[in-house]
Amino acid sequence: MTVNKQKILLGVTGGIAAYKAPDLVRKLTATGADVRVVLTESAEHFVSPLSLQAVSGNPVSNDLLDPAAEAAMGHIELAKWADTLIIAPATANFVAKLALGLADDLLSTLCLATTAKTYVAPAMNQQMWQAPATQTNLATLSSRGIEVIAPDSGEQACGDVGPGRMPEPQALADLITQPAQEKVLSGKHIVITAGPTREAIDPVRYLSNHSSGKMGYALATAALALGADVTLVSGPVAVSAPLAANLINVESAQQMHEAVMQTIDTADIFIGCAAVADYRPVNVVDQKIKKDNNELTLTFTKNPDILADVAKLERAPFTVGFAAETQDVSFYAKGKLTRKNLDMIAANDVSDKSIGFNSDNNALTVFWKEGEKKLEVADKNQLAMQLMQLINEQLR
Ligand code: PMT
């Protein structure tokens, strides 16, 4: 365990995800950090100050006008004490307050009074997350240097399904306790493809695969942390994109090809992480296919190979492919490196169900013309950072 002397102020606002706050405090203190917690009034309906005091080992503050608390550590002192501030969960209401610069309770006042590196982990109903007002407020926070942590997607407490879930405490703890990254990719434009493609059969059916987008989105997050400008061309996924990325949503391989080609001119690096369908049905029928026959025959035609087409460009960027293989992983990956004229390829053994498609973890063997490196099993976020560092080392 690394010794971490970080002074972390955790602000908890009133959403259902506040029940995760004690676990988050535990994960943060496990890194050696000193953690103090500030609750809003509504957060106290979801989590008790006493349990947060017990896990943090520090008094919990909740009142701007409490003379006893002010005598112990005044709000300005608390704002100066922290070197990291994280609001988790941050409700839509609190995000709006921050965007406006209001200071009508202890937490919002601290946010104005601190110079600490600030993270916001929004958690709310998916419709509230997608509301233009929320997105505009989050963009305002990002433009002020506050790091907005994209929420997870999935089933919500209210029964809806979509983006708005607070990421797991371990993921948040890993993110805010990782050492600040040197901006080694500053000034570089990186185009990344992620997720699956969908190839339409008729108006209601399509062919696709199990790619979740997690690996590609983790690469986008890592590239942004290293200072790059990122264009993320994504097939349909349930994960939320980092807000600072230029996200282009597509469905089919042909659309992904078109989107990449429109943006590749200014790219220094291209990473093909998407699981692009190799084939698409020749005829997409206008009406739903009826089950009149016992057998159905579809004829397929090859999709454009986005990765190979990028590598062929006269002014090709540093081009990195992925290879998802179930057998002879290194052999097939090296073959793709040479055949598609790539600068680098990351081989994925997708026969192992605990890594690769849809898992939170992955392991890669990376090949380039003069070398190779094994990146052992790790969380996709950690692995993405290792791969981005390796790409940076090998840039011509
Ligand atoms: O999304 P996750 O659930 O996190 O899973 C991550 C992943 C397993 C999808 C990812 O790590 C991965 O391995 N992506 C590549 C999957 C793939 O399609 O591999 P492939 O060996 O079939 O293709 C080789 C390369 O050519 C890939 O870089 C692919 O993006 C690219 N390609 C393939 C076909 C095509 N028509 N155009 C392409 O650009």
Side-chain angles (χ1 to χ4, degrees):
M1 191 71 42
T2 50
V3 178
N4 184 332
K5 297 271 185 256
Q6 230 173 317
K7 296 193 195 89
I8 301 174
L9 190 57
L10 168 63
V12 183
T13 71
I16 181 69
Y19 80 90
K20 294 181 180 175
D23 192 23
L24 177 56
V25 172
R26 238 186 249 114
K27 299 286 188 303
L28 292 170
T29 51
T31 69
D34 193 2
V35 180
R36 287 174 177 269
V37 183
V38 172
L39 289 172
T40 61
E41 200 182 330
S42 50
E44 287 187 37
H45 295 292
F46 296 93
V47 62
S48 94
L50 210 56
S51 50
L52 289 162
Q53 180 171 316
V55 286
S56 68
N58 281 315
V60 170
S61 316
N62 46 11
D63 192 352
L64 183 59
L65 306 172
D66 177 355
E70 284 292 300
M73 193 188 258
H75 64 275
I76 297 293
E77 243 176 295
L78 198 53
K80 285 187 177 152
W81 169 86
D83 44 38
T84 307
L85 167 63
I86 175 166
I87 321 290
T91 59
N93 180 59
F94 195 80
V95 165
K97 267 165 75 160
L98 270 189
L100 277 176
L102 295 185
D104 62 353
D105 62 6
L106 179 59
L107 187 56
S108 53
T109 306
L110 286 170
C111 291
L112 279 187
T114 192
T115 54
K117 166 82 185 155
T118 301
Y119 298 83
V120 167
M124 62 196 72
N125 163 270
Q126 54 87 23
Q127 202 60 55
M128 292 170 77
W129 162 257
Q130 288 170 48
T134 304
Q135 291 301 315
T136 305
N137 289 334
L138 289 166
T140 302
L141 300 189
S142 292
S143 72
R144 291 186 195 142
I146 291 176
E147 198 158 320
V148 178
I149 303 167
D152 285 348
S153 209
E155 203 170 320
Q156 303 199 303
C158 56
D160 278 12
V161 176
R165 288 163 55 100
M166 188 174 107
E168 289 308 313
Q170 188 64 61
L172 291 179
D174 288 348
L175 182 79
I176 71 167
T177 57
Q178 74 188 1
Q181 298 294 337
E182 212 185 311
K183 305 291 178 205
V184 287
L185 291 175
S186 167
K188 302 272 186 236
H189 176 208
I190 307 190
V191 177
I192 300 171
T193 65
T197 62
R198 285 181 182 171
E199 309 302 324
I201 297 172
D202 68 14
V204 296
R205 302 183 181 95
Y206 57 80
L207 289 162
S208 191
N209 58 63
H210 295 293
S211 171
S212 62
K214 288 177 191 169
M215 190 70 233
Y217 280 46
L219 286 165
T221 305
L224 287 165
L226 295 175
D229 290 327
V230 174
T231 300
L232 182 58
V233 183
S234 175
V237 295
V239 281
S240 302
L243 290 181
N246 167 30
L247 176 68
I248 305 176
N249 287 308
V250 297
E251 291 235 335
S252 66
Q254 283 176 299
Q255 287 169 358
M256 189 174 271
H257 184 271
E258 201 182 316
V260 167
M261 290 306 160
Q262 273 172 11
T263 182
I264 205 72
D265 272 2
T266 56
D268 302 287
I269 300 169
F270 173 75
I271 309 176
C273 186
V276 186
D278 292 317
Y279 292 90
R280 68 177 184 277
V282 172
N283 296 311
V284 183
V285 291
D286 291 340
Q287 303 299 331
K288 185 181 169 195
I289 299 172
K290 294 291 171 202
K291 49 180 185 226
D292 297 335
N293 302 313
N294 285 336
E295 287 183 356
L296 173 69
T297 306
L298 295 172
T299 309
F300 292 91
T301 185
K302 223 170 186 174
N303 269 327
D305 190 319
I306 304 165
L307 184 65
D309 285 357
V310 169
K312 263 187 229 154
L313 292 171
E314 203 179 309
R315 283 188 59 255
F318 187 87
T319 306
V320 182
F322 268 72
E325 306 291 349
T326 52
Q327 55 176 333
D328 298 327
V329 178
S330 301
F331 175 78
Y332 285 118
K334 282 183 191 166
K336 281 178 187 165
L337 178 74
T338 315
R339 209 171 48 253
K340 297 195 187 189
N341 194 26
L342 308 177
D343 294 295
M344 189 179 263
I345 194 153
N348 243 172
D349 181 353
V350 290
S351 67
D352 180 348
K353 294 275 178 272
S354 66
I355 57 171
F357 283 101
N358 208 4
S359 157
D360 286 339
N361 297 325
N362 208 357
L364 299 169
T365 310
V366 187
F367 299 95
W368 58 100
K369 279 167 198 128
E370 306 81 24
E372 64 179 78
K373 185 165 183 179
K374 227 177 163 57
L375 305 180
E376 300 294 346
V377 178
D379 174 81
K380 279 179 178 165
N381 291 308
Q382 290 170 24
L383 209 64
M385 184 52 82
Q386 291 172 34
L387 181 58
M388 289 312 311
Q389 306 269 19
L390 193 56
I391 292 171
N392 180 50
E393 280 165 33
Q394 297 301 322
L395 274 179
R396 7 166 225 248

